[in-house]
Amino acid sequence: MIPGLAIILCFQLAGEIATRALGLPVPGPVLGMILMVAACAMRPRLTARIRPVAEGLLANLSLFFVPAGVGVVAHLALIREQGVALAVAIAVSTVLAIAIGALVFQWVSRLTGTTDPNAVKSGWGAR
């Protein structure tokens, strides 16, 4: 389990170093995750080494939300004052994200020439 965790942390570190060295506007952990996915695609044995750690992290993912919950409790007065504005911002951004996702899906569908409505299920489009 320790080697798998070390591998994951090394990819995060590599992403952080690359982001800072190249001045990229992408968070280091995100770039590290992209590098790890690429490495797992090239070396399936790597996937087998990190799978137990990844499953353990995912099984206990709720622990990562405890700090956010504490932050909410610590700022209850601010949430009381700005709660309506926050709720509206969250609702509007959610609707916009769904709408933009649908528009991008339609654009990619037209770009690739997919016309078969069952293409999403089968993974292949009629061209």
Side-chain angles (χ1 to χ4, degrees), residues 26-95:
V26 177
V30 172
L31 183 59
M33 184 173 53
I34 291 168
L35 293 171
M36 186 171 64
V37 168
C40 285
M42 290 187 284
R43 301 235 182 221
R45 287 182 50 201
L46 180 63
T47 304
R49 295 225 27 205
I50 64 173
R51 182 181 305 277
V53 176
E55 287 175 350
L57 287 172
L58 289 173
N60 297 298
L61 195 59
S62 61
L63 295 175
F64 293 113
F65 293 105
V66 171
V70 170
V72 168
V73 171
H75 296 287
L76 277 178
L78 181 63
I79 292 173
R80 264 189 227 108
E81 292 174 17
Q82 303 295 328
V84 174
L86 286 170
V88 169
I90 290 169
V92 169
S93 65
T94 300
V95 169

